[in-house]
Structures are given as C-alpha cells and as structure tokens.
C-alpha cells in the first residue's frame, strides 16, 4: 500500500481507463449473450449487474472529482505546475535568444587596435617593443652593398634565361638587362621596365615602370598615377596567364599608343581648321571597315568644322584634303579631284600615311614616303612636306610638257627648279 500511495496517476487517465473498461465489459456481455442460450430472466440479471457495476465506478469518479475541486492542496499543485511550465517555456526562449545573440556578437565585435604601437611606428619609423628572440635571429630588412652585387648578377642571369624561353615581338627595338631589370623599348610608342616576382612567383613578370613615348611639341603624353597603376596591374594579370607574356604586353600598349596617336592627329587638325588653314583643308573620319589596304576605305562625310559621329569606330583614320581652291577656280564640283593624304592604322595597327597620287620627293628624286614622328607629332609639318612634294611633281610635269613643244625656243637651263625648306604659310596654296 505504501508503494501504491507513492505513485500518482493523472485524473484524465483514470477517467479514460474507466470508460474503456466499461466499454469492453459491455462488449463482452453482448457477445456472451449471443453465444449462450439463456432465459430472459438471466439476461436481465446480467445486464443489471453490469449497470450496477458501471454505476458504482462512475460514482466513485464523480466523488473523486468533487473532492479534487474542494481540496486546496490540489489547486495549489495545479497552479504550481502551470507556473513551472511557464518558467520552462521562458527559459527555453531565453536560451534560444542567447544563442542567436552570441552569433551576432561575433560579427559585431570591434578589433582591439594597437594604437600606441601605430603611433610609435608613424612618428619614429621603428618599433622598439619587438621580442628579444627576433633580434637574436639577426634578420636584416635590406641587403648590404656587398650582398647586392651578387644578388643582382644572379637575377640578371635568371632574367636572360627567361627571355630566351619566350618569343619577343619583332617591333621591340631595344631589349636591355641590367641591375635586375629588363628594359624594353618600342621607338615612338612606349618604354617598360620589368623584373620577376609578380605576387611572389619568380616565374611571373612584374612591371616596375611604364612610360609612353607618344607626344608632340609640348612633350610626351603623361598618364595619371592612378591610371598608370591600373594599367600596370591589368598587364601583370594578363601576362601571368599568357603563354607569351611579351606579345600581350606589346599588343595592349601598342593599341593604346595607336589610339593616342590618332587622337593627337585629330586634335591638331581641329586646331589647324580653326586657324590659318581654315579655307585650305578639310578632313573626314575613315571608318574601320576597310583599313590596311591603302585603297578606298569607307568614310564618314563631315561638315566644314570636321564634326562627325564616330560612334562605333574603334580607331578611326583621317583623310586630310588640301588645295580646296582648286575646285573653285576650275568650277569642279567633284571633291575627289582635290589631292589628299590619309593617316590611318592598317591591319597590323601600324599608323601609315598614304597620298592620293604619286608624288616625287625633291630631296631624293624618288617617290615620296610620308610618315609621322610619333614622339613629336606635327600634322602641319607633314602637310607642308606633302604640299611641297606635290608642287614639285606638278612643276616637273609642266617642264616635261614645255620640252615637248617644238615651236618654243628654249635652252636646257631656261627653267630651274630649286628645292628649299619652306616654312611659310604660302605653302598652303599652289
């Protein structure tokens, strides 16, 4: 009895079991009455016994329920159980909140900056609180002069061996190895200083200095510091992933130089059109539809101010038409009669100057060849030379025709052509 008294059973469980037992007893009674042949009196007696037994059980449950409601201890235990259940829910929620808060604190925490050490390094340039064991190791930040010479000599040998492993573009005019660096130069375009050690890898190239040689009378084109660093970083990244890094280096810088050359030429032609060459020249932008053959490339017609929409042109060429008074004096309306010179990048991206007709160079007596001094671009000087060669060729044709006429009395030295440097503005007209 003592053991039974220590065990507790929920009232709802007790009610459920009583209902289940009553139902099972009724079911057994019905089955028993079906199987056995009993008189009506016996059947009624068995039914009354079942009803009496079930009624007593239900009365006990009813009395127990009333008793539980009247006893204060039971009510207090119920309230206590409810309070404990509420506390358990609160503790669970608090634990979950602390867990997620801990995850958030890991992200929100601020690092402990060593401000005194930073101030010491900024003001003195050194740090005096290094552990003694580091000083005992005797590590030096830089090599001494005696150590630098063999190190640079070894680096020069390594650079030469790396250069032998790759194919250098034929356009590179100068390759020099000295003091642990490789000096590359393309005349009229760029100069680059390289060494090994990109991102700590001795097999990759690193750009130390980059300088453009494209310019005009005022000097070479200057890249901003930020743009030069961005260009250098992009070149280093491309060279590290390429089989022939120097081909990538030349292609990128050469394309940049060609764009700068054509931009400078266009700007100078605009300046000439606004000055004393206003009525003497006209120009057109040449699309990149057919450059490189020296023939009739597709062009974009412009107005007298040279304004054109160059959208979609990667590196457009330029067609400069001169001797515009020729069509006025002769009443010719076809602009194709006027001579012109084309400045455009070909398929190999080499900027070339082509004249519309065959002209003779007065200095050599051979076909004139025109080119731009990319280090000092001067379109006006080029135009003056073109006009001088064209004028000389025209005068030679006049001389040839005069000698063919037999009625005219002439001596071999009646007409004398002299070549001289003409820097005056009169060279603009024929």
């Amino acid at each position: 009895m003592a053991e039974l008294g220590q065990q507790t059973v929920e009232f709802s469980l007790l009610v459920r079991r009583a209902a289940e037992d009553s139902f099972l007893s009724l079911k057994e009674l019905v089955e028993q009455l079906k199987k056995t042949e009993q008189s009506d009196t016996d059947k009624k007696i068995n039914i009354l016994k079942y009803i009496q037994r079930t009624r007593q059980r239900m009365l006990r449950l009813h009395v127990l329920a009333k008793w539980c409601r009247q006893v204060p201890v039971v009510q207090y235990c119920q309230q206590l159980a409810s309070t404990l259940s509420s506390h358990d829910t609160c503790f669970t929620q608090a634990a979950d909140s602390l867990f997620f808060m801990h995850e958030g604190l890991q992200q929100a925490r601020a690092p402990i900056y060593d401000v005194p050490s930073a101030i010491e390094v900024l003001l003195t340039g050194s740090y005096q609180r290094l552990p003694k064991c580091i000083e005992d190791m005797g590590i030096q930040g830089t090599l001494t002069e005696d150590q630098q010479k063999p190190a640079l000599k070894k680096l020069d040998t390594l650079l030469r061996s790396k250069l032998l492993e790759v194919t250098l573009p034929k356009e590179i005019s100068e390759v020099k190895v000295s003091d642990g660096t490789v000096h590359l130069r393309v005349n009229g375009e760029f100069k680059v200083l390289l060494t090994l050690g990109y991102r700590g890898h001795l097999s990759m190239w690193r750009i130390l200095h980059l300088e453009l040689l494209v310019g005009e009378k005022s000097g070479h084109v200057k890249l901003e510091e930020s743009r030069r660093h961005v260009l250098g970083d992009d070149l280093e990244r491309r060279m590290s992933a390429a089989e022939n890094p120097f081909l990538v280096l030349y292609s990128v810088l050469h394309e940049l130089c060609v764009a700068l050359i054509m931009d400078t030429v266009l700007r100078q032609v605009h300046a000439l059109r606004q000055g004393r060459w206003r009525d003497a020249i006209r120009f057109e932008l040449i699309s990149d539809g057919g450059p490189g053959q020296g023939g009739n490339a597709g062009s974009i017609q412009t107005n007298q101010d040279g304004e054109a929409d160059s959208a979609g042109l990667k590196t457009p060429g330029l067609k400069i038409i001169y001797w515009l008074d020729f069509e006025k004096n002769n009443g010719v309306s076809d602009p194709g009669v006027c001579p012109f010179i084309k400045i455009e990048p070909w398929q190999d991206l080499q900027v070339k100057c082509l004249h519309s007709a065959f002209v003779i160079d007065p200095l050599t007596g051979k076909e004139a060849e025109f080119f731009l001094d990319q280090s000092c671009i001067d379109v006006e000087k080029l135009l003056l030379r073109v006009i001088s060669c064209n004028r000389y060729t025209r005068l030679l044709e006049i001389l040839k025709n005069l000698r063919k006429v037999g009625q005219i009395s002439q001596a071999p030295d009646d007409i004398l052509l002299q070549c001289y440097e003409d820097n005056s503005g009169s060279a603009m007209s024929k």
Side-chain angles (χ1 to χ4, degrees):
M1 292 298 291
E3 294 179 358
L4 293 176
Q6 293 178 356
Q7 297 179 358
T8 58
V9 179
E10 295 183 0
F11 183 75
S12 59
L13 180 61
L14 188 61
V15 173
R16 184 170 64 253
R17 288 182 179 178
E20 291 176 354
D21 291 342
S22 300
F23 175 74
L24 292 175
S25 299
L26 179 60
K27 188 176 181 181
E28 291 177 358
L29 178 61
V30 172
E31 291 178 355
Q32 185 179 1
L33 294 176
K34 288 180 179 180
K35 293 179 181 179
T36 58
E37 297 180 357
Q38 296 181 359
S39 60
D40 294 339
T41 303
D42 294 336
K43 291 181 180 180
K44 292 177 180 180
I45 293 172
N46 291 332
I47 294 173
L48 287 174
K49 289 181 180 180
Y50 168 76
I51 294 173
Q52 181 65 22
R53 187 170 57 254
T54 305
R55 180 173 176 274
Q56 290 179 357
R57 181 179 294 174
M58 295 303 171
L59 286 174
R60 293 190 187 97
L61 289 175
H62 181 65
V63 172
L64 182 60
K66 286 186 175 182
W67 177 80
C68 290
R69 290 180 182 179
Q70 295 175 358
V71 176
V73 177
V74 177
Q75 296 179 358
Y76 178 74
C77 291
Q78 291 177 348
Q79 294 177 359
L80 184 60
S82 177
T83 303
L84 293 176
S85 177
S86 177
H87 288 177
D88 180 66
T89 304
C90 293
F91 287 142
T92 303
Q93 293 178 354
D96 295 339
S97 300
L98 289 175
F99 174 78
F100 291 111
M101 184 182 296
H102 179 266
E103 294 295 326
L105 290 176
Q106 295 292 334
Q107 304 296 330
R109 63 181 180 179
I112 302 176
Y113 296 104
D114 191 0
V115 178
S117 300
I119 294 176
E120 180 181 354
V121 173
L122 288 175
L123 296 180
T124 64
S126 61
Y127 185 64
Q128 303 296 331
R129 296 182 178 86
L130 289 175
K132 191 67 177 177
C133 59
I134 298 180
E135 297 179 359
D136 296 338
M137 293 176 63
I139 298 178
Q140 296 180 355
T142 58
L143 300 177
T144 61
E145 294 184 0
D146 296 336
Q147 294 173 337
Q148 287 179 4
K149 292 181 180 179
L152 290 176
K153 185 177 180 180
K154 184 177 180 180
L155 183 56
D156 289 344
T157 304
L158 181 60
L159 289 173
R160 290 189 177 92
S161 64
K162 292 292 292 184
L163 290 175
L164 293 175
E165 296 176 0
V166 297
T167 302
L168 296 177
K170 60 181 181 180
E171 292 80 4
I172 297 179
S173 55
E174 180 182 351
V175 181
K176 180 181 178 182
V177 179
S178 64
D179 296 334
T181 58
V182 178
H183 301 251
L184 295 181
R185 182 187 180 94
V186 177
N187 291 331
E189 293 191 8
F190 59 86
K191 180 173 65 175
V192 186
L193 272 66
L194 304 99
T195 189
L196 295 173
Y198 173 62
R199 292 185 177 178
H201 299 282
L202 291 179
S203 61
M204 299 181 182
W205 293 94
R206 178 185 175 188
I207 298 177
L208 299 177
H209 180 69
L210 174 62
E211 181 180 352
L212 297 180
L213 302 180
V214 176
E216 43 190 339
K217 293 180 179 179
S218 59
H220 294 162
V221 176
K222 300 295 183 181
L223 287 178
E224 297 180 1
E225 192 73 17
S226 58
R227 292 186 178 180
R228 186 165 68 248
H229 286 313
V230 171
L231 179 60
D233 292 341
D234 183 62
L235 284 173
E236 289 176 343
R237 179 179 55 81
R238 293 190 183 187
M239 292 174 66
S240 63
E243 296 182 0
N244 193 339
F246 290 95
L247 181 60
V248 175
L249 175 69
Y250 173 77
S251 300
V252 174
L253 293 180
H254 177 65
E255 186 174 353
L256 173 63
C257 291
V258 169
L260 291 175
I261 291 170
M262 297 310 302
D263 181 71
T264 304
V265 170
L266 182 60
R267 180 163 40 81
Q268 290 188 5
V269 172
H270 272 292
L272 293 177
R273 283 280 302 142
Q274 295 175 1
R276 60 177 182 171
W277 292 77
R278 175 182 297 275
D279 299 326
I281 61 173
R282 180 166 55 87
F283 71 92
E284 301 172 359
L285 290 179
I286 304 175
S287 67
D288 55 355
Q293 301 300 329
N296 294 327
S299 62
I300 302 175
Q301 298 293 334
T302 62
N303 54 26
Q304 293 298 323
D305 293 331
E307 296 178 355
D309 182 11
S310 59
L313 299 180
K314 186 176 182 181
T315 307
L318 201 65
K319 177 180 177 181
I320 305 176
I321 306 171
Y322 62 96
W323 280 354
L324 300 181
D325 291 338
F326 178 81
E327 53 180 312
K328 293 181 181 179
N329 297 333
N330 294 274
V332 181
S333 60
D334 185 7
V337 177
C338 297
F340 61 86
I341 183 170
K342 292 165 58 176
I343 306 173
E344 59 180 344
W346 281 25
Q347 291 178 350
D348 56 356
L349 287 181
Q350 297 295 331
V351 179
K352 297 188 178 182
C353 305
L354 299 176
H355 194 264
S356 57
F358 175 84
V359 290
I360 299 176
D361 190 348
L363 300 178
T364 62
K366 301 179 181 179
E367 181 180 3
E369 297 181 357
F370 306 103
F371 61 90
L372 282 174
D373 185 1
Q374 299 177 168
S375 298
C376 185
I377 300 174
D378 192 343
V379 178
E380 185 176 16
K381 182 179 179 181
L382 175 65
L383 277 175
L384 291 175
R385 183 170 180 269
V386 169
I387 293 173
S388 176
C389 294
N390 198 350
R391 181 178 56 190
Y392 180 78
T393 305
R394 292 291 184 91
L395 291 176
L396 286 180
E397 292 177 358
I398 295 173
L399 175 61
K400 182 178 180 181
N401 292 331
L402 289 176
R403 287 177 176 175
K404 288 181 180 179
V405 179
Q407 294 85 355
I408 300 177
S409 177
Q410 58 181 350
D413 56 349
D414 280 348
I415 298 177
L416 179 62
L417 298 179
Q418 293 183 351
C419 177
Y420 60 92
E421 191 70 20
D422 189 0
N423 295 323
S424 63
S426 61
M428 293 186 294
S429 61
K430 180 173 62 174

